[in-house]
Amino acid sequence: MGLSMLLVDFQNAFNLVDRTSLLLEVRRQCPGLSRWVEFCYSSPARLYYGEHCLWSCQGVQQGDPLGPLLFALVLHPLVCKIRDSFDLCLQAWYLDDGTIVGDTLEVSQVLDLILSEGPALGLLLNVDKTEVFWPVVDPRGLAPGVFPAHIARPSSGVTVLGGPVSTCPVFSAELVATRVSKTLELMDLVAALEDPQSELLLVRACSGISRLYFTLRTCPPSAVVSAQPAFDSALRVCLERIVAASGAGFGDWQWRLATLPFQYGGLGVYSMGDVMHYSFLASRLQSSVLQASLLRLVGLPLGEGPSFDAALSGFEVVTGSDFCRESCGLAAPKLMKKLADEYFARIVASSELVFSLTPRQLVLWRSQQGPHSSDWLRAVPISGLGQTMNGRTYRSVLCYRLGIPLFRAGLPCSACGRVFEDDIFGDHAVSCSSSVGLKHRHNLVRDTLFDICFRAGISSGKEVDIGVVDGLGRPLRPADILLYSWDLGRDMCVDITGSSPLTQTCLASLAPGRCVLDASRRKCAKYRDVCSTAGYGFTPFSFSSFGELDAGAVALLGRIRSFSLALDSSSRLAAHIFTRVCFSIAKGVGA
């Protein structure tokens, strides 16, 4: 038995579907929706174009959220008839994209059925774009009258929902190269924004490797390897421009660090050289049962194949461990994340030796691997929430995070005038007690937290004098923010305190989070007892210049978030409380 695969393409499918058939199927399959759909589609709608008025008499309206469902309901009877009339190996549809595999002559009859019964439903086949393919051509399919003479017959392969179906390595490699080229064009367009904050967000979310995830999941590493250097080279140039304005200092370590996940202190911008090691492997493992079922149906030999074996071998070489296939039962996103975690954990473990990191670089890197240290990088630019920085400030924060020099040696501090000969990275500037150093960052965080409380409906005051003094009679100000009736009916004093790990002396032995913990303990020793005696609660809100938060700050923000959600379960602001606070910290660092 010779097999063929038919890829169905309808002409302008959503706009031409027959409304009479649509309304009939809605009444039959979804009676609860029928009145609403009849209200929308039982009569022609007016469409205005300038001074002209057009009547919309067929198809579903553009932008109608019910459109895909309504189209699928019209297509459903035809799909059922194909299923009941023919013995096929596979019939799969995603809206108007159909894939049919079976004996060549039966596939030909399916095509005839679609051509004869589809038009009554408004489903007009675009024969020129409909394709017939199989790696080994069945001679019966070439006979006159079996398939239309002008139907497309690709010889190397086809794409199904964007993924390659081919036994030809060149076909897959060309597909990857084409998509990489389009992605690089988009990255060039993003550069025209000249806004590093927006550029980094877009490169990470939709104009970088994220546009290629599906391609990397459906193409083996052997098909990707030729396009990978070009993409990663362009991505590195892009990051150099965003971070350092294409200046000096963005070396191999900065490139490695920038392309690590947030949890490992990176910028969350992944390179193709990393993703190609686990994306295809995750896809093949997650779909192995389905693949075996399909191969069995069409009579092809079972087995993972050389492409899978090569991908698995490459992954095990990088991670240095035997891969366990018990994970293949996980859902696709979880499996890919599991493999990515295993891959990057190995990369991180070896980076200290590979790059010969200095004590300062180690402290900088480890301190940025905390739970909330990278939250500010997720912030969407919204000026009304204070989530914007100018280009110079944003680049300063990125350079400080990646360990890129910001100053020339021997320059005096612009705020206090002191000279620190070797402070080219800006450690003093971050911890300077002047109005543009710690004080400015303190005030930014205080104002942000106060605004969060206001938007959450929490009664609070700012810089409230509660009238307490120390043992020498000097006034104390423990209430940068006072939360009224917050602690079992008591008012809660919140003291904002910031610190920087890189002002310490023993950098090599400094543990991540140590400076925020020490600052929190000092504040508790200074204020807790006097506040309690006066009838107030007290909690420190300690943070570092890297966005580290102490346990008290995390607990407070978590409670504020819960309070906000209790008042309004659909509140979007509640989901971004940590992001706002950490962004204000970063903004203060870059000032």
Side-chain angles (χ1 to χ4, degrees):
M1 178 180 70
L3 299 175
S4 292
M5 177 168 62
L6 178 70
L7 302 182
V8 178
D9 183 84
F10 290 118
Q11 296 180 20
N12 205 10
F14 278 59
N15 290 329
L16 296 179
V17 68
D18 181 66
R19 289 190 179 177
T20 302
S21 302
L22 182 153
L23 295 173
L24 179 62
E25 288 302 318
V26 170
R27 292 192 200 106
R28 182 182 301 163
Q29 303 289 348
C30 305
L33 287 175
S34 61
R35 290 190 177 184
W36 172 250
V37 175
E38 288 174 9
F39 172 76
C40 295
Y41 289 103
S42 60
S43 300
R46 292 184 179 91
L47 302 178
Y48 293 97
Y49 176 70
E51 298 179 354
H52 305 282
C53 177
L54 305 175
W55 291 95
S56 174
C57 302
Q58 58 186 9
V60 293
Q61 293 281 8
Q62 292 285 341
D64 183 0
L66 284 177
L69 171 64
L70 299 178
F71 174 83
L73 288 174
V74 175
L75 178 64
H76 185 253
L78 182 61
V79 173
C80 290
K81 187 165 185 178
I82 294 172
R83 178 198 62 195
D84 297 336
S85 303
F86 303 99
D87 183 18
L88 299 171
C89 298
L90 173 69
Q91 181 190 194
W93 293 81
Y94 181 79
L95 297 176
D96 58 333
D97 290 316
T99 304
I100 296 167
V101 179
D103 178 75
T104 299
L105 298 182
E106 288 215 50
V107 170
S108 172
Q109 294 173 23
V110 171
L111 181 60
D112 292 338
L113 178 65
I114 295 174
L115 286 169
S116 62
E117 300 196 7
L121 303 174
L123 303 174
L124 307 178
L125 196 68
N126 187 346
V127 179
D128 292 336
K129 292 187 177 180
T130 297
E131 298 175 312
V132 175
F133 171 76
W134 198 252
V136 179
V137 178
D138 184 357
R140 295 178 300 166
L142 302 176
V146 176
F147 291 108
H150 51 293
I151 196 170
R153 297 175 181 269
S155 58
S156 300
V158 293
T159 58
V160 176
L161 297 178
V165 178
S166 175
T167 57
C168 176
V170 176
F171 178 84
S172 298
E174 289 177 348
L175 177 67
V176 173
T178 300
R179 292 182 178 170
V180 166
S181 177
K182 292 181 179 179
T183 303
L184 296 184
E185 291 176 4
L186 183 59
M187 287 170 58
D188 290 338
L189 292 175
V190 169
L193 293 174
E194 297 184 353
D195 175 10
Q197 183 181 356
S198 298
E199 289 177 43
L200 182 60
L201 186 66
L202 290 173
V203 168
R204 185 172 62 245
C206 58
S207 64
I209 196 67
S210 57
R211 284 183 58 85
L212 298 172
Y213 272 136
F214 184 76
T215 301
L216 295 175
R217 286 177 59 84
T218 55
C219 296
S222 58
V224 176
V225 67
S226 59
Q228 176 262 324
F231 178 85
D232 284 351
S233 176
L235 181 63
R236 178 164 179 166
V237 170
C238 176
L239 288 176
E240 287 179 357
R241 184 191 68 253
I242 292 173
V243 174
S246 301
F250 194 95
D252 291 341
W253 167 239
Q254 283 71 29
W255 163 246
R256 175 67 277 175
L257 184 56
T259 52
L260 288 177
F262 288 140
Q263 69 191 83
Y264 295 118
L267 300 184
V269 181
Y270 300 132
S271 69
M272 184 181 286
D274 288 331
V275 177
M276 63 183 283
H277 280 99
Y278 56 82
S279 54
F280 176 76
L281 189 61
S283 177
R284 286 293 301 270
L285 285 170
Q286 191 269 335
S287 59
S288 59
V289 175
L290 176 61
Q291 291 179 58
S293 175
L294 293 176
L295 291 174
R296 191 178 295 110
L297 283 173
V298 298
L300 294 178
L302 302 181
E304 302 293 357
S307 60
F308 175 85
D309 294 337
L312 179 60
S313 176
F315 182 84
E316 291 178 343
V317 167
V318 173
T319 59
S321 62
D322 293 332
F323 182 72
C324 178
R325 303 194 185 200
E326 295 177 358
S327 303
C328 62
L330 294 173
K334 292 183 179 180
L335 180 56
M336 187 162 171
K337 184 179 185 305
K338 177 180 175 64
L339 296 186
D341 288 344
E342 187 170 343
Y343 173 83
F344 282 112
R346 179 64 178 178
I347 295 296
V348 167
S350 62
S351 291
E352 182 177 344
L353 296 176
V354 170
F355 294 97
S356 302
L357 301 181
T358 65
R360 183 188 182 279
Q361 288 175 320
L362 282 174
V363 170
L364 185 67
W365 184 26
R366 290 169 180 169
S367 296
Q368 294 176 140
Q369 296 179 32
H372 299 287
S373 298
S374 299
D375 284 0
W376 67 277
L377 288 166
R378 298 183 173 93
V380 177
I382 303 175
S383 57
L385 296 178
Q387 292 182 182
T388 57
M389 297 188 209
N390 61 53
R392 184 175 182 179
T393 300
Y394 197 77
R395 284 194 170 106
S396 296
V397 183
L398 292 177
C399 287
Y400 189 67
R401 180 183 178 92
L402 297 180
I404 297 175
L406 290 165
F407 304 105
R408 295 195 304 272
L411 291 180
C413 173
S414 60
C416 67
R418 298 173 64 187
V419 177
F420 296 85
E421 289 293 338
D422 299 324
D423 186 24
I424 60 175
F425 297 104
D427 294 335
H428 167 72
V430 170
S431 59
C432 182
S433 59
S434 66
S435 59
V436 293
L438 286 174
K439 292 179 182 177
H440 177 67
R441 188 158 64 252
H442 168 279
N443 292 341
L444 277 176
V445 175
R446 178 202 61 196
D447 294 344
T448 299
L449 184 58
F450 181 75
D451 183 67
I452 288 172
C453 292
F454 172 78
R455 293 175 185 270
I458 298 172
S459 181
S460 58
K462 184 167 61 175
E463 296 293 351
V464 179
D465 185 358
I466 62 172
V468 295
V469 296
D470 63 8
L472 299 177
R474 293 173 297 191
L476 298 176
R477 302 294 294 270
D480 290 316
I481 294 177
L482 187 65
L483 303 178
Y484 297 109
S485 302
W486 185 256
D487 182 22
L488 299 176
R490 294 191 305 172
D491 298 341
M492 172 70 76
C493 300
V494 180
D495 184 85
I496 311 293
T497 179
S499 54
S500 174
L502 295 181
T503 60
Q504 310 299 317
T505 54
C506 300
L507 297 182
S509 62
L510 182 65
R514 176 69 179 274
C515 67
V516 294
L517 181 60
D518 290 345
S520 178
R521 287 172 175 170
R522 289 194 299 269
K523 291 294 184 177
C524 286
K526 183 177 181 180
Y527 292 131
R528 177 162 288 171
D529 289 343
V530 294
C531 287
S532 179
T533 301
Y536 292 90
F538 175 79
T539 184
F541 192 97
S542 179
F543 64 90
S544 78
S545 54
F546 299 137
E548 298 169 299
L549 301 175
D550 79 315
V554 173
L556 177 62
L557 292 176
R559 187 177 171 189
I560 292 174
R561 181 170 58 186
S562 299
F563 184 91
S564 179
L565 289 173
L567 293 179
D568 181 7
S569 60
S570 63
S571 174
R572 295 184 179 180
L573 291 176
H576 304 289
I577 286 176
F578 283 94
T579 300
R580 287 194 62 193
V581 170
C582 292
F583 190 87
S584 66
I585 296 172
K587 193 173 184 178
V589 169

